Amino acid sequence: MYDKEFDRFAEFLEKEHGDGWGGYFSGCVKSAQKAYKAMESDNHSGASWNFASNVLCQALWGDRLAPIEESELKKPSEYPARYMIDKYVGWKFETFKDLPLSFYRITKPDGTTFFDDDRRVRFVVVKSETDLTNVTKEDKPHCLQRLLNDVADEMFPISFPYHFNNIFKLVFNVAIKDFGNMSSDNWYIHVISVVDPDIIVHPVNRFFHFYTHNTEDYSHVLKEIDRDTYEHGKGER
């Protein structure tokens, strides 16, 4: 019966967008219709429908479905550090053959080793002292992902078997001085809490200052600060 909804939607898109994009969009609807029919023919309902839908969505996004086992960590391949930041000088980053590029091993200069996954931490900005509505991904400081991952990693280090669908949400405030001059970053960040995959909130209350050290090579300094320094710094904008 729901088949008619797919047909009506495809027909609407063809009329709305004409022969070009209309055909493209209606083709996408037809593909979704095939997936729906396959799941419907297996008599999914309730919880099984939700579970199957989630698996399909993960597959469509190219996510790893089965957990990573430690025995899979073969043929590491080193790549240059992506962070021109004082804190990360000398850090060694390695990815692994046949594993997602978002997952990697990090070795610090003192030999300490840990694992990270850029996709396991989601960001929630509670309050921004600067309007970030029109900020593109390229404009955001390249340390932000690394910094916020560090906070989550310290509290919840990756262990094996590692499941890709265990998502953490990191809640923070941010204030930016000299916004718009990306060659002179000056960010004050308050990390408020981490929400784990079981929706349990873990207070953090840590403060950081990220700023440009050298405008010629865009090297940066990232350091942890106290609340007073944070409040004073963001108040000077």
Side-chain angles (χ1 to χ4, degrees), residues 51-226:
F51 182 74
S53 298
N54 288 334
V55 171
L56 178 60
C57 287
Q58 284 181 259
L60 289 173
W61 283 107
D63 288 347
R64 169 75 178 244
L65 300 179
I68 292 178
E69 302 287 350
E70 198 162 7
S71 59
E72 296 183 76
L73 304 181
K74 301 173 182 178
K75 297 186 178 180
S77 176
E78 184 176 358
Y79 62 90
R82 296 168 292 176
Y83 311 97
M84 296 175 63
I85 304 170
D86 64 329
K87 178 179 177 180
Y88 305 118
V89 171
W91 286 33
K92 181 180 179 182
F93 296 80
E94 295 174 299
T95 55
F96 298 90
K97 181 178 174 60
D98 300 327
L99 293 182
L101 291 176
S102 67
F103 179 84
Y104 46 93
R105 179 171 60 197
I106 300 174
T107 304
K108 295 182 179 181
D110 64 2
T112 304
T113 297
F114 64 100
F115 296 89
D116 206 357
D117 175 15
D118 281 341
R119 298 176 66 177
R120 80 169 183 149
V121 179
R122 303 288 187 268
F123 306 149
V124 180
V125 182
V126 174
K127 181 181 178 183
S128 172
E129 303 292 336
T130 305
D131 182 9
L132 300 179
T133 305
N134 298 315
V135 179
T136 65
K137 183 178 180 181
E138 289 72 23
D139 287 335
K140 294 177 182 178
H142 52 274
C143 87
L144 195 56
Q145 175 83 51
R146 177 74 260 141
L147 162 63
L148 299 182
N149 273 26
D150 279 353
V151 173
D153 290 341
E154 289 174 16
M155 298 176 68
F156 304 97
I158 286 178
S159 59
F160 297 95
Y162 172 63
H163 296 263
F164 270 86
N165 57 352
N166 286 341
I167 302 300
F168 294 82
K169 293 183 179 179
L170 201 143
V171 184
F172 67 100
N173 294 335
V174 61
I176 311 172
K177 296 175 65 174
D178 304 322
F179 182 69
N181 180 11
M182 302 314 293
S183 65
S184 183
D185 289 312
N186 206 349
W187 293 58
Y188 287 89
I189 302 163
H190 172 202
V191 181
I192 301 169
S193 60
V194 174
V195 183
D196 69 22
D198 295 321
I199 321 299
I200 298 173
V201 178
H202 303 265
V204 176
N205 280 321
R206 294 173 65 183
F207 304 87
F208 298 89
H209 184 201
F210 164 80
Y211 59 95
T212 302
H213 173 65
N214 187 328
T215 56
E216 293 184 2
D217 63 7
Y218 299 103
S219 59
H220 295 78
V221 172
L222 173 64
K223 63 180 181 180
E224 188 160 1
I225 56 179
D226 59 27

